[in-house]
Amino acid sequence: MSRNRRILLSLRRNLLQAIPTMFVIVTLGFFLMQLAPGDVADYIAAETGAASEEGIHALRVQFGLNLPVLEQLFAYYDNLAHFSLGISPRYGAPVSDMIMARVPGTLLLMGVAIAVALLLGFAMGTTMALLSRRLPDRLLSLLSLVFYSVPTFWIGLMLIVLFSVHLGLFPSGGARTIGGPSEGWDWFVDRLRYITLPALTLGLNYVAIYARLTRAAVIEAQRHDYVRTAIAKGLTPARVIRRHVLRNALTPIAALTGAKVAGMLGGAIVVETVFSWPGMGRLAYEAILAREYPVLLGILLVSSALVIVANALFDILQSLLDPRVEVS
Amino acid sequence: MALAEMNTTLAENARGPGAGEFAPSRKRRRSVFFTVLRHSGALVGLMVLGAIIAMAATAPLIRPGDPLALAGTPLLWPGQDLAHPLGTDNMGRDVLAGIMHGARVSLLVGVAATALGVLGGVSVGAVAGYFGGRIDNLIVRFIEIFQTIPGFVLLVVLVAVIQPSIWTVIIGIALTSWDTIARLTRAEFRTLRQQDYVSAARSVGYGDAHIILREIIPNALPPLVVTATIMVASAILSESALAFLGLGDPNSVSWGAMIGTGREYIRTHWYLTAIPGGFIVATVFALNLIGDALNDALSPHLART
Amino acid sequence: MMHRLDPGMTSPLLQLRNLRVSYDAPLRNGVAVGGLDLEVERGETLALVGESGCGKSTTALSVLGLLPAHTEISGQILFDGGDLVGMAPERLRALRGRQIGMIFQEPMTSLNPVYTIGRQIAEVLHEHTDISAAAARRRVLELLEQVGIPDPAHRIDAYPHELSGGQRQRAMIAMAIALRPRLLIADEPTTALDSTTQMQILELIDGLRRELGMSVLLISHDLPLVRAWSDRVVVMHHGQKMETLKSRDLFEAGRHPYTRGLISASIRLSDERHYTTSRLAEVRAHRAANDEFRFELHTPPGRIAATASAPDLPGPDAAGPDASAALDVRDLTVRYPGADRPAVDGVSFTLARNQTLGLVGESGSGKSSLSRAIMRLIPGVTGEISLLGKDLAGAQGAGLRQARRHIQMVFQDPYASLNPRQTVGDILGNPLKLHGIAERGERVRQMLDRVGLPASSVDRYPHEFSGGQRQRIGIARALILQPDVLICDEPVSALDVSIQAQILNLLADIRAEFGLSMLFISHDLAVVQYVSDKVMVMQRGKIVDTGDHTTIWRSPRHPYTKALIAAVN
C-alpha cells in the first residue's frame, strides 16, 4: 500500500470516529452544565446587582433558559454548529474568541514540553537500557521515578524559588517581557527565557514516562531475533543499536506520545496557572475563580477537539513508522 | 559483544529431553509478598508509606482539634518555635497539624477514588473483553470517548460545577481514571479467554462465572494490581492539584491547598510551599516504588524460572 | 572477496575443539555444551542433530559469537585456521555475513519488520563492501532471483509481513549468501514451515551449497530430514557428541543407544508403521552419580489389538445421524466474522466407536476450528453434531454440561493448556467436583499414575514440569471424567521425538484400555499414519480425501494428498 494511501485511510478512519465522539462529548458537557447551581441569568443578575425577579426572568427569556431542556439542547447544538460557544457573561465577549486567543499559547508550551521530554527521556532511557542492571541504570531509574512522582505545580513553584527568586536567571511568569523586543534574535531569546521554566515543569513527568518506556522498548528489542540477525550480518554495534534497536523502539514511543496528549492538556492548566502563562489553562483557572461555567465547558470541548486532532496526527506517524500497523 | 539478550525459547530448551532427565523442579513458587520484600526499593517504599499512614492515624492524638484553626504566631519558620516544629502559616495555623491531617485526606482520596475506579473499570473491561461482540464494540467506543476528553480538564469542570467536597473529588477522580484500568482489563481478558486452559475449563463444563473468577482473574491480577497501585499515586496527585487550584473540600485541610496558600508567600516564606510538596512527593514516590517492585515480582519473565 | 593462501586446502573449514559453553543468566544457567569436538569439511553439509536442550543451537550461535549476555565460552572454534573464540571483535565482525552466513528458525521474527527485505539484504552488502546504492539494488534483485522469489522487481520493496513464510526464509537465505560465504549455518531452517515448503527450502540450500562451493552446518531435530539433506550427522545429547555417522546409513548404522532410540522413535511415512503392529521404542537418559548419562532403550510390551472394525461404516452420504457411531458430524460449517471464506466448510464424517480417526492438514486448513467447533468452544457454527447418538450441536445448559463428560480434548501446547495458577491436584480434581464425582483424591492419584507421573505432582504447579510432563497432565485432565470420545489436537507437535514416542504409546494404550474413540489431528502424515484406523485429509476447510490408514497413502486419490505425500518422501 502506498504511503499516501495509508495516510488518507488513516485520516478517514479518524474523521469517521471523531464525529460521534465529539457529539457525545458535547451532549455530556451540556448535561454537566445542567448540574451547575444557578444559570447564566443568576450570574448576570449577581454581577450587575439587578436582583429583581422580573429582571432575572427577562434575562432567562433572552437566553432561552425558560425553554424545555431538550429545546435548549438543540439550540446549543445549533450554536455549536456555527462554532459559537456562547457569550461570557462577565466579559461580554464570545467564549470561542476568548478560547481561540489562548490556544496558540498552550500549543506552543505543550510542543516545547514534548520536545524537551522526548529528547531527555529518549537519551535517559537508552543509557539505562544499554547499561541495564548496572549502577547508572539504577540511579537513573530512581531519578526518573522521582520525576514521575513530583506534582507539576509544586516543582514549578520550587523552580521559581530557585531560578527566579534566588538566582534571578529566569522570569517567574508571563510569556514575554512587556514592551520588550518584538523581532529578531533578541525576541527569540526573550521568549526562550520565559518558556524555559514552564516547559521544563510541564515536561518533567513525561521525561520520566519516556525514559522508562524507552528503556523497556530497547531491552525488549534486544531480545528480538532480528537483532541477532543484524549482528550475524556483521553490522557494527553502533549500527545495530541505531538501525535495529532504537529505530524499532520509536513505534511504541510515538504511540505513547499520542496517548499522552490528553494528559498533558490537563497538566497545562496547573502549569499555566503557576507561571501565569497566557494559555487555555490559565483561562480555565480564571474561569474557575469567576465561576464562568460556559468558558470551562468551552475549554473542555476545544481541548477534546485538540486531542482528536493530535491522535489523528500520531496515528499517521505510527503508520509511517511501522508498516504493519493496520489502517483499513 | 553480547548485544542480544537471552530469549525464552533458548531458556526453555534447558528442560528439553536433549538436556537429560528433568525431574519436576523442587523450587516452589515464592510468594509474591516475599519477592517484593527482597526488593530494596519496595522496602523503602513500604517504610515511607507506613510512616505516612502512621501520621494519618495518629493525627487526632498528636495534633488534636481543627487543623484549620489559629494556633500561634503567623509565619513562624520551622524550628523557630518548638511548639510548631514545622512552623505556622500566614493565618497562624500549625503546619505540622496541616500535614498530619492532610495525610488523612490524601490517603482517603487516593484509596477511595482508586477503589471506585478499579471496581467500575474492571467490571466494564471484563464484560467487554470476555463477551466480545457488540457489547465490546460499544464499551470500546465509550472508553475511547473518555480517553479523548483530557481527564484533568474534565475533573476540574466536574468538581467546579458540582461544587467541591471530598466526595465530589473522589467521584470525579474515579470518573476520570476508570478508563485506563478498563482498557487494561479488557485487553487481559481478551488474551486470556483465548488461552487453551480456558477452553479446557469450558470443555469440562464450567460456566462463565467460574471461568472468569477462577481461570481468568487470577491470571489477569498481576498487571491490575500494579496499575491500581499507580492509580492510588496519581489520584493523590490529582487531588493535590485540584486543591491547589482552589477546588478542594473547603472544610478540610489538604496538602495541595496548603501549597496554594503558601504560594502567595513564596518569595519570603518558601517553606510553606516546600514542606507539603515534599510530603506529596514522598507518598507518591513510595507508592510508585511499590508498584515497580510488584511489577518486577509479578512479571511473567521471572515467574517461569 | 578475501583470498588467502591456505597451506592445507584439505584441512576442515570449521573445527570445534573441546567447545564448552555455559549460561549464567536469570532465565537459564548451567552447562549447555560440554566439550564438543567436530569438523565441517569443505563443501560438505554436516548436520547437528538432537532434541531440544542438547546444545545444538548453542553450538551454532557460538560459532558467530551470537550467544546472549552472561555466557561463558571456552575451547577452540577454528575457522579456516583462525580461532573464533576470543578473536578481536573487529575481526570477528568482518567474518560475519561475509565468510559465514547464518539463517534461523523463525524467518518472521528474524527479519526486521520495519524495513523492506531489499533494504535488509542490501545492508549486508553495504556493511562489507563499497558498493553503490544502484549496484547494490541490482545485486539484491539478482539474489532474489537466485533464491527463487517470484517477481523480484516487485518483492524487493515488500515488507516481511507481506511475504509468505517460505518467501521470508528465502529472503533470509539471500541475505546470508549475499557475499558468497564459505560457511552457511542453518539453525532449524524449516521447522516453522509447512511440509511442502520445507522441501523446497532444503533443496534451495543444497543447490546453493553446490553452486557456491559452501559448507553447510545444518542444525535440526528431524532425523529423516537430516538423512536426506546432509553428508554426515553428529548426534548430540546434553551438550556432548554421542556419535558421528554417514547420513545415508544413519537409520541402519547408528550404534549408540540414544541414536537407536531416536531412530526407533522417528516415524517415517515410508516405514508404514502402525500402532497395532509396532510399538515405539522409548529412550530414557539417567544421570549417574558421576554425572555420566546411562541410556535405557525399552519398547513397551504387548501388542494392541486391532480395533474391532465397526461393521460397514456408513459414509458421510448416508441419511440421518448414525446412532451407533461415537461421533457423527454433518455439514459442519464455521464462519468467523469478517473472514472471506468459512474456516470449516460443510464437513461431514463419522467416528466409529473404538476407532481412531486421523485428520491431516497443513496450518490454516481449518482442522483446529473443526475440533473447537465439535467441542462447542466457538460461536458461528452451523450443522449437526451427534455424540453417542445424542444431539450435541443444540445442547444447552445442564444438557450440554452432561454431554461434555463424554467428550474431552487434549491440546497442542502443553504450556498454554494448563492454568499456571492452579496446582495439578486442582486441575485434575476440579472437574470431578463439578460433576459431583466422589473419591476425588483417589481418582486423581490413579490417573497420575496411569499417565506416568509421581503422586507428589498433586501439589505442584505446571511451571515446575517439562513439556512432556505437562502434556501428560493435559492427557490426565482429559481422561479424568472418563469420556467416550477424545479429540487430540496436534498433541505431539510441540514435543521432541523421544517424548512424542512416549505420548503416542500412552495414547495407544489408554485408547484400548478406556475404550475410547479418538479424533487425532496432526499436520504430520507419519504420525497420523501410525495412530489412525481411518484418515481424512483437510484442505481449505473441506475434507478432500478419506480412506483406510494404509490405502490412503498407497493410492491417494486427491492431488492434494499426493502433494503432501510427495513432500515427505
Side-chain angles (χ1 to χ4, degrees), chain A residues 28 71 158-159 169 216 228 257:
Chain A
L28 218 69
E71 273 181 52
M158 291 294 108
L159 289 175
L169 286 177
R228 193 172 61 186
T257 308

Side-chain angles (χ1 to χ4, degrees), chain A residues 120-135:
Chain A
L120 284 177
F122 198 67
M124 250 172 95
T126 310
T127 316
M128 278 149 75
L130 295 180
L131 300 172
S132 100
R133 291 192 281 271
R134 285 193 252 160
L135 190 66

Side-chain angles (χ1 to χ4, degrees), chain C residues 215-378:
Chain C
S215 303
V216 175
L217 178 60
L218 175 67
I219 314 292
S220 179
H221 67 282
D222 187 335
L223 267 67
L225 178 149
V226 151
R227 182 190 176 278
W229 297 101
S230 67
D231 299 303
R232 291 187 305 136
V233 179
V234 171
V235 181
M236 279 184 83
H237 185 266
H238 71 282
Q240 287 180 345
K241 181 165 74 177
M242 298 291 102
E243 62 182 328
T244 311
L245 294 159
K246 287 239 180 297
S247 303
R248 63 174 176 278
D249 43 40
L250 166 64
F251 279 76
E252 297 76 33
R255 286 289 162 263
H256 194 281
Y258 181 64
T259 317
R260 296 276 0 133
L262 291 188
I263 289 167
S264 153
S266 301
I267 317 168
R268 289 177 296 177
L269 193 61
S270 55
D271 291 344
E272 300 201 347
R273 293 170 76 180
H274 195 248
Y275 74 98
T276 48
T277 53
S278 141
R279 312 287 330 251
L280 298 172
E282 298 179 11
V283 59
R284 283 174 209 270
H286 300 287
R287 194 192 289 270
N290 61 357
D291 251 16
E292 293 285 308
F293 274 91
R294 192 166 47 77
F295 294 93
E296 189 184 285
L297 191 60
H298 114 117
T299 310
R303 293 166 64 114
I304 294 178
T307 45
S309 57
D312 298 314
L313 294 175
D317 45 356
D322 176 8
S324 71
L327 185 69
D328 194 66
V329 171
R330 309 262 132 186
D331 273 330
L332 195 76
T333 299
V334 178
R335 221 176 262 281
Y336 292 117
D340 48 350
R341 66 174 176 86
V344 177
D345 195 354
V347 166
S348 302
F349 66 86
T350 305
L351 169 62
R353 292 194 196 218
N354 290 323
Q355 249 207 352
T356 301
L357 177 59
L359 176 61
V360 178
E362 291 185 296
S363 56
S365 62
K367 53 195 197 306
S368 275
S369 299
L370 176 61
S371 67
R372 271 148 219 267
I374 297 171
M375 290 300 296
R376 296 284 314 273
L377 294 174
I378 47 174

Side-chain angles (χ1 to χ4, degrees), chain C residues 372-390:
Chain C
R372 271 148 219 267
I374 297 171
M375 290 300 296
R376 296 284 314 273
L377 294 174
I378 47 174
V381 180
T382 55
E384 292 170 44
I385 308 166
S386 94
L387 174 67
L388 306 167
K390 287 192 192 126

Side-chain angles (χ1 to χ4, degrees), chain A residues 16-18 20-22 24-25 28 32-37 130 132-133 141-142 145-146 148-154 157-158 160-161 164-166 172 205 212 219-220 222-225 227-228 231 235-237 240-241 245 259 261-263 265-267 269-270 273-276 282 284-285 288-289 291 293 296-297 299-300 303-305 307-308 311, chain B residues 1-10 39 41 141-142 144-164 183 230 233-234 237-242 244-247 255-257 259-260 262-264 266-268 270-286 288-292 295 301:
Chain A
L16 285 180
Q17 283 192 354
T21 306
M22 249 354 252
V24 175
I25 294 175
L28 218 69
L32 198 57
M33 285 306 125
Q34 301 293 315
L35 293 174
L130 295 180
S132 100
R133 291 192 281 271
S141 289
L142 223 58
L145 205 62
V146 173
Y148 190 61
S149 307
V150 167
T152 23
F153 59 93
W154 181 73
L157 291 170
M158 291 294 108
I160 291 176
V161 170
S164 307
V165 177
H166 287 279
S172 66
N205 280 186
R212 289 162 69 86
I219 288 180
E220 179 60 31
Q222 288 179 70
R223 275 187 229 284
H224 282 301
D225 292 347
V227 171
R228 193 172 61 186
I231 303 170
L235 301 193
T236 59
V240 172
I241 291 172
V245 176
V261 167
L265 270 165
I269 296 189
V270 283
T273 305
V274 168
F275 289 96
S276 311
R282 172 81 194 165
Y285 181 64
I288 297 169
L289 292 183
R291 299 285 186 252
Y293 300 127
L296 275 181
L297 176 60
I299 288 172
L300 184 68
S303 51
S304 301
V307 172
I308 290 176
N311 282 346
Chain B
M1 175 184 60
L3 251 182
E5 291 274 328
M6 165 93 54
N7 62 27
T8 40
T9 327
L10 196 55
H39 201 285
R141 296 289 304 139
F142 196 62
E144 264 171 18
I145 289 168
F146 267 82
Q147 293 203 315
T148 304
I149 308 176
F152 190 72
V153 180
L154 177 62
L155 180 61
V156 163
V157 175
L158 254 169
V159 175
V161 165
I162 310 177
Q163 304 306 311
R183 226 165 85 124
I230 311 290
S234 40
L237 283 177
S238 295
E239 186 278 333
S240 70
L242 274 181
F244 170 76
L245 292 174
L247 291 172
W255 292 342
I259 297 174
R263 184 185 170 199
E264 311 295 323
I266 196 157
R267 284 170 189 278
T268 50
W270 56 265
Y271 67 94
L272 288 176
T273 308
I275 292 171
F279 278 93
I280 299 175
V281 175
T283 313
V284 174
F285 183 63
N288 283 330
L289 273 179
I290 296 168
D292 256 21
N295 194 30
H301 277 307

